[in-house]
Amino acid sequence: MNRLFFIGLFCVFVNLASAGDGSLLWVQSLDPAEQPVRCSKVAAKGSLPMQDSLLMQRVTSELTAWKGAPISLQLVADSTLATEAYRLTRTDDSIRLGASTVRGLLQGAYCLLRAQAMDDVCLCRTLTNHEPITEAPTYAWRLISAPAALDDEEWTDFVRACASVGLNGIVTSTPDSDRVQVCIDYGLRLYEPQMLNQLTLIRLTSESGNATQSLYKAQAWSTLLADADGVWLDELPQDYASPLAAANWYAFGRLAWNRHLSPRALAYEWVAQTYCSNPLFCVPVVQALLTPYETVREQAENLMDVFLEQSSYLDTRQYDRTETELLQYF
């Protein structure tokens, strides 16, 4: 293994020790004052229902972070577009985001923001060549169980992050009207477990798959996905916002949207959006995430020495921990 790989291992397991306060989630905080909304008026026939109007506000709010060409939002009556599907097309002076529902527009907005955060050259090149990009979800139901004891602010952050990766339902045994409304604001529904009895769901947990594989679960989960009504992650740790848990949460949402996505590509997406898009950082951290757990343990004793030798890659002041402190988190 090269030294950059060890740097990746170090970063992953130092981050295991980080507080799960949500500060490392891939969805960045909104600050509307930073960027004006660069969207045209929505082209649609007639006025939108109240629920869709609120969701449209969410679409334009999220796109305040967009720094590229102006975006034209269009609701279209297109039978080729599934309920939550969207289509991106580049015109001479703008990007046209079209969908048959506002939920589709929201997913298209998140696609653009994801590409921006990752410096996604492939998507930009495709749009520049005026080739439309159309995406639709694999599963009609893309569900995740909510962690217990979230306060109101944490609930809103949790719902927003779920929406950003394409999930459309949250399962909880203790729903209330305020939390139902937050879900509606992001195009999600709230379900109680007994409401799912009639659905054919692929139910996943953190234990699904081969326990000897990496702590990053996307590789194991991707092998379990098949044709079904939907997919449900029925276990999310209480420290769901800690880095490794967030990586798994992100990967599940994206696999629920498109089960054919590569676990390696999803790991890269998460690292690039959560930390930075520099390949010198992303590549070794991704490789560390994909490494089997036992291999990581075998190499753990070398992490500190290698890191100190290669400290020019990162600001060592952010990682002022002894090797003993690091190993307790394995």
Side-chain angles (χ1 to χ4, degrees):
M1 295 183 187
N2 59 42
R3 292 183 173 184
L4 277 177
F5 172 71
F6 282 106
I7 298 299
L9 290 177
F10 183 86
C11 293
V12 168
F13 288 99
V14 165
N15 284 325
L16 280 176
S18 302
D21 60 1
S23 62
L24 295 178
L25 286 177
W26 59 90
V27 188
Q28 302 303 310
S29 299
L30 289 175
D31 188 354
E34 289 291 322
Q35 287 285 334
V37 179
R38 305 186 67 183
C39 302
S40 69
K41 291 185 178 180
V42 179
K45 292 184 178 181
S47 59
L48 293 173
M50 176 60 70
Q51 183 172 318
D52 282 349
S53 295
L54 294 174
L55 189 55
M56 182 60 71
Q57 292 177 20
R58 188 64 56 198
V59 175
T60 55
S61 175
E62 294 288 354
L63 286 174
T64 59
W66 176 250
K67 300 176 183 178
I71 298 172
S72 169
L73 301 175
Q74 295 186 334
L75 282 173
V76 296
D78 188 340
S79 60
T80 66
L81 286 175
T83 301
E84 296 174 86
Y86 59 85
R87 179 174 293 134
L88 294 167
T89 309
R90 182 65 191 253
T91 63
D92 291 336
D93 57 357
S94 67
I95 295 174
R96 184 167 64 244
L97 168 54
S100 61
T101 64
V102 182
R103 283 186 294 164
L105 291 179
L106 182 62
Q107 289 307 314
Y110 283 130
C111 173
L112 288 169
L113 294 174
R114 188 160 51 241
Q116 175 176 266
M118 294 173 56
D119 296 327
D120 192 335
V121 176
C122 293
L123 181 140
C124 295
R125 183 183 298 121
T126 300
L127 288 178
T128 300
N129 292 337
H130 295 257
E131 299 176 21
I133 296 173
T134 302
E135 284 199 354
T138 298
Y139 297 107
W141 282 269
R142 305 179 300 281
L143 312 175
I144 191 167
S145 291
L150 298 182
D151 63 31
D152 290 344
E153 183 177 355
E154 290 171 334
W155 178 260
T156 299
D157 290 342
F158 175 73
V159 171
R160 179 175 176 239
C162 286
S164 75
V165 291
L167 295 173
N168 64 356
I170 295 175
V171 182
T172 178
S173 57
T174 56
D176 65 61
S177 58
D178 290 339
R179 298 200 166 187
V180 169
Q181 185 57 51
V182 173
C183 287
I184 292 173
D185 289 347
Y186 283 93
L188 280 76
R189 287 188 60 186
L190 206 59
Y191 297 89
E192 295 182 70
Q194 61 269 24
M195 298 169 65
L196 307 177
N197 292 337
Q198 303 303 314
L199 299 176
T200 304
L201 298 173
I202 299 172
R203 184 169 171 266
L204 302 175
T205 71
S206 61
E207 302 301 321
S208 299
N210 190 340
T212 64
Q213 294 181 353
S214 66
L215 297 177
Y216 174 63
K217 300 298 182 182
Q219 298 172 104
W221 288 341
S222 65
T223 64
L224 301 175
L225 298 180
D227 292 339
D229 293 332
V231 60
W232 173 19
L233 181 57
D234 189 21
E235 181 182 310
L236 198 62
Q238 191 57 38
D239 64 342
Y240 65 96
S242 64
L244 189 59
N248 286 324
W249 173 18
Y250 179 91
F252 168 75
R254 296 283 286 130
L255 283 171
W257 177 268
N258 182 352
R259 79 185 207 202
H260 302 294
L261 292 172
S262 156
R264 180 179 293 274
L266 295 179
Y268 198 101
E269 284 186 15
W270 174 76
V271 173
Q273 291 175 84
T274 302
Y275 300 101
C276 72
S277 58
N278 188 333
L280 285 178
F281 179 83
C282 292
V283 171
V285 176
V286 167
Q287 187 58 44
L289 284 170
L290 295 170
T291 299
Y293 175 70
E294 290 304 321
T295 302
V296 173
R297 284 194 62 88
E298 291 171 6
Q299 302 296 340
E301 61 186 21
N302 300 320
L303 289 177
M304 184 58 71
D305 290 340
V306 175
F307 176 73
L308 293 176
E309 291 174 11
Q310 299 290 319
S311 59
S312 60
Y313 284 96
L314 297 168
D315 183 355
T316 56
R317 291 172 297 178
Q318 299 179 29
Y319 302 101
D320 185 19
R321 296 179 182 274
T322 66
E323 184 176 358
T324 301
E325 288 175 318
L326 289 173
L327 293 179
Q328 68 177 304
Y329 294 102
F330 281 76

